[in-house]
Amino acid sequence: MVGWIDFRRDLSDQGDVLNSMTEALRHRGPDTRDVWLSAQAGIGHRGLATSGSPDDVRPARAETDRGVVYVAHAGEVFNRDELRRAVEAAGGRLRNRSTAEVLLWAFLLWGPEFVEQVDGTFGLAVWDGRDRRLHLARDRMGIKPLYYYAYPGGVLFASEPKGVIANPRFEARLELSALPIVLQPRLSLPGETPFKDLYEVPPAHVVTFTESGTSHRRYWELVSRPHHDTFDVTARRVAELLDDAVHRQLVTDVPLGAMLSGGVDSTSVAALALRALREENPDRELDSYCVRFESDPAHFVATELRPDVDAPYAAAAAEFIGTRHTTLTATLQDVLDVIPATRRARDLPGWGQFDASMYLIFQQIRRGSTVALTGEAADEIFGGYPYFFKPEVVGRDGFPWLGDGPKLSRFLNPELLAADDAAEGERARYGELLSRVPRLPGESAEEARMREVFFLGLSGPLSVILDRKERMSMAHGLDVRVPFCDHRLVEYVWNVPWALKSQGGVKGLLKAAMADALPPSTVNRKKSAYPHVQNPVYDQALIREAAWIVGDKESPLTGMFDGEGLSGLIERIRANAVRGELPGGSNQAALLIQLVEMRNWMDEYQVSLP
């Protein structure tokens, strides 16, 4: 989905530009193509037919005596039929059953507030020609992306930055104040990007543009309430909510797949999905997938965050729940070959090999499926990371997942640090997020702090994880759904005290809720993060490239860093002499990924300095 609105000029002759913007997102919607252009508004759309019918994903419009109302959406609305019935009961005259037609009438009847009734993962654009307003909306958890660039008298928008970049009005420039989030993406606040003046619609927001300005409205947020259910009642309620979320997100007439690592999150989702499919048809099958690396037997080393490899646990889980299972074996060369493609999938500095392994498994899934399910977000919602169980880490006055190792932002040149101190910026971001935490009066100090820690994780790291999943999957035209992000489940678990969430150990509540669906190998397995390559050949290549970047006088990064200090860090990494805990338990070389990615991004996208 892309668009161009200009309140001060006639766009009627800009069809070629709008077509270029639309084609930039062809991978997101290989099944349909629609372009609509009027004097002041143009919207392009590429559709992915997840329901089996291409007509269901096309935009919709209404001609009124005051102007055209045009609606386009990306993603999926899980309660479309419920919303359709509400529209018809209110007098809406639907011409067909398409999602966009239902959304159009919901807007005509209730205005932009109608998004509060939508359950789904979506980016939504509504051009209201009656009063010359553009409304952009995004789903509650921010699963589907939506970017915009506002300029005097107009706005460009797109599901990915490349749709905006395709318009010559946009100039790719670096936002220097965003350097800390380029070098540590988990520090991002909703809406930020490293492109100057390019923003993302924050989750659960409607952003409205008129000739006189821009306004933001949040339509959903977490509310803290006392939780009175016992552990057993809470576990049953979690099981009900997750089961219902999976059922809702299975609304598809196309081939379906599931990621399956053998951990509690993905196994729970896959088990519920197959159970739901076979309730309708006992012969239905579900394809499941995991990834392993060819070099694991020689180089895998257990860490706190990844104590074992997925493949044996995934195979055992697949046999237990009955999925047709595929294990993708990726070589180091496979990973290296697709890293440039992962950067293009983001249009932003990426995560190197951490993106590449996910890109490869989604590429494999897309060969047999159009829609897939994943267990992501359970760690952030139920408290699955090791730091949740470390009082000394939780008690720190800062982001608990960042560790105490070196940070690339500390090696910016003194001039940049003086203008925008990275450490002070980190503290400011931390303080801003803490100010937003929905408090619960009367809560103990320990529970109040855990509520803060959960809120921090839901605000930063989760958005990074969801963004990676969405961009790597949609690069292949694969719609990956995240049942753990169902807002009703999130609302309920948010108010479950930490004492109940952690009863029985890591994600004890979730394990109790899903006890009848999980094999013993999954129940007894320690938390293991998404797999990545552990290979000294990759680490050495990363170190060489980082050292070359620091020494390259023609690099776009020249002058932005303290070259001597950064070279010293690289040499300590080469000598395996870095001290301190690194984010996510990463190895030392992984610290350099953001530096390498930033340099390659600026070069490939010709990003200029302001």
Side-chain angles (χ1 to χ4, degrees), residues 528-552:
S528 190
Y530 188 81
H532 63 274
V533 171
Q534 293 178 322
N535 191 318
V537 176
Y538 174 78
D539 293 345
Q540 291 158 13
L542 196 58
I543 291 168
R544 283 195 303 272
E545 188 167 4
W548 172 77
I549 288 170
V550 174
D552 179 19

Side-chain angles (χ1 to χ4, degrees), residues 158-410:
S159 296
E160 293 178 11
K162 59 174 60 67
V164 172
I165 293 169
N167 190 303
R169 281 213 63 117
F170 180 77
E171 180 184 352
R173 292 181 294 160
L174 178 66
E175 176 56 68
L176 288 177
S177 66
L179 281 174
I181 69 169
V182 176
L183 300 173
Q184 178 44 267
R186 290 183 179 89
L187 288 175
S188 301
L189 294 177
E192 291 182 304
T193 84
F195 280 117
K196 188 171 180 60
D197 298 327
L198 181 71
Y199 301 97
E200 194 169 13
V201 175
H205 275 72
V206 178
V207 183
T208 300
F209 303 85
T210 66
E211 187 170 5
S212 60
T214 304
S215 63
H216 290 67
R217 182 178 72 86
R218 175 183 282 276
Y219 67 86
W220 176 83
E221 59 187 340
L222 291 169
V223 176
S224 293
R225 299 185 178 92
H227 183 85
H228 301 297
D229 294 345
T230 64
F231 180 82
D232 290 341
V233 170
T234 300
R236 285 197 297 272
R237 184 59 180 153
V238 166
E240 291 168 358
L241 288 168
L242 182 58
D243 185 50
D244 186 62
V246 170
H247 270 79
R248 283 172 172 257
Q249 297 187 26
L250 281 177
V251 180
T252 177
D253 297 318
V254 295
L256 185 71
M259 296 179 72
L260 183 62
S261 69
V264 61
D265 311 337
S266 63
T267 305
S268 295
V269 169
L272 290 174
L274 186 56
R275 184 184 298 174
L277 291 172
R278 288 183 173 169
E279 285 173 2
E280 295 184 2
N281 181 350
D283 296 326
R284 280 295 299 267
E285 298 285 353
L286 177 66
D287 294 307
S288 60
Y289 302 83
C290 80
V291 62
R292 67 182 174 195
F293 299 102
E294 185 183 55
S295 58
D296 279 346
H299 299 297
F300 175 79
V301 176
T303 64
E304 180 181 47
L305 200 56
R306 194 176 173 226
D308 46 46
V309 295
D310 287 344
Y313 292 92
E319 183 177 4
F320 182 85
I321 62 180
T323 62
R324 295 186 303 197
H325 191 62
T326 298
T327 300
L328 169 67
T329 301
T331 67
L332 177 59
Q333 193 59 51
D334 292 333
V335 170
L336 296 174
D337 286 346
V338 301
I339 286 177
T342 67
R343 200 177 305 120
R344 291 189 293 271
R346 285 182 181 268
D347 300 322
L348 299 168
W351 279 19
Q353 64 128 322
F354 296 103
D355 284 347
S357 57
M358 188 167 282
Y359 183 96
L360 288 167
I361 193 170
F362 286 145
Q363 185 180 59
Q364 175 73 32
I365 294 173
R366 185 61 175 94
R367 291 172 183 150
S369 305
T370 307
V371 174
L373 298 173
T374 178
E376 282 170 303
D379 287 315
E380 288 73 19
I381 295 165
F382 288 91
Y385 296 115
Y387 69 77
F388 280 100
F389 294 84
K390 296 180 177 180
E392 72 280 8
V393 176
V394 166
R396 290 177 182 171
D397 187 23
F399 295 104
W401 53 82
L402 287 186
D404 54 9
K407 300 176 182 179
L408 290 175
S409 59
R410 304 288 168 83

Side-chain angles (χ1 to χ4, degrees), residues 58 108 182 255 264 314 342 454 459 555 571 574 603:
R58 293 188 181 280
L108 292 172
V182 176
V264 61
T342 67
F454 273 96
S459 301
S555 167
E571 287 308 309
R574 193 192 304 272
D603 185 50

Side-chain angles (χ1 to χ4, degrees), residues 56-243:
D56 181 56
V57 296
R58 293 188 181 280
R61 68 176 177 177
E63 305 276 355
T64 77
D65 55 3
R66 292 171 47 212
V68 174
V69 180
Y70 193 93
V71 173
H73 77 287
E76 191 70 26
V77 174
F78 303 130
N79 68 334
R80 182 188 63 180
D81 290 341
E82 299 165 31
L83 195 58
R84 174 180 55 79
R85 288 191 290 270
V87 164
E88 291 175 337
R93 298 182 297 277
L94 298 173
R95 293 171 296 182
N96 56 58
R97 297 173 61 89
S98 74
T99 300
E101 181 76 7
V102 174
L103 297 175
L104 170 65
W105 270 101
F107 175 79
L108 292 172
L109 289 167
W110 302 304
E113 291 75 18
F114 85 91
V115 296
E116 298 169 24
Q117 302 180 50
V118 180
D119 173 21
T121 58
F122 58 86
L124 176 67
V126 180
W127 167 249
D128 191 347
R130 299 170 301 180
D131 56 6
R132 302 201 313 167
R133 290 176 182 267
L134 172 69
H135 305 281
L136 299 180
R138 196 162 170 225
D139 64 75
R140 291 170 177 82
M141 298 297 289
I143 295 172
K144 288 297 175 182
L146 186 54
Y147 295 85
Y148 66 90
Y149 163 69
Y151 61 89
V155 60
L156 310 175
F157 66 88
S159 296
E160 293 178 11
K162 59 174 60 67
V164 172
I165 293 169
N167 190 303
R169 281 213 63 117
F170 180 77
E171 180 184 352
R173 292 181 294 160
L174 178 66
E175 176 56 68
L176 288 177
S177 66
L179 281 174
I181 69 169
V182 176
L183 300 173
Q184 178 44 267
R186 290 183 179 89
L187 288 175
S188 301
L189 294 177
E192 291 182 304
T193 84
F195 280 117
K196 188 171 180 60
D197 298 327
L198 181 71
Y199 301 97
E200 194 169 13
V201 175
H205 275 72
V206 178
V207 183
T208 300
F209 303 85
T210 66
E211 187 170 5
S212 60
T214 304
S215 63
H216 290 67
R217 182 178 72 86
R218 175 183 282 276
Y219 67 86
W220 176 83
E221 59 187 340
L222 291 169
V223 176
S224 293
R225 299 185 178 92
H227 183 85
H228 301 297
D229 294 345
T230 64
F231 180 82
D232 290 341
V233 170
T234 300
R236 285 197 297 272
R237 184 59 180 153
V238 166
E240 291 168 358
L241 288 168
L242 182 58
D243 185 50

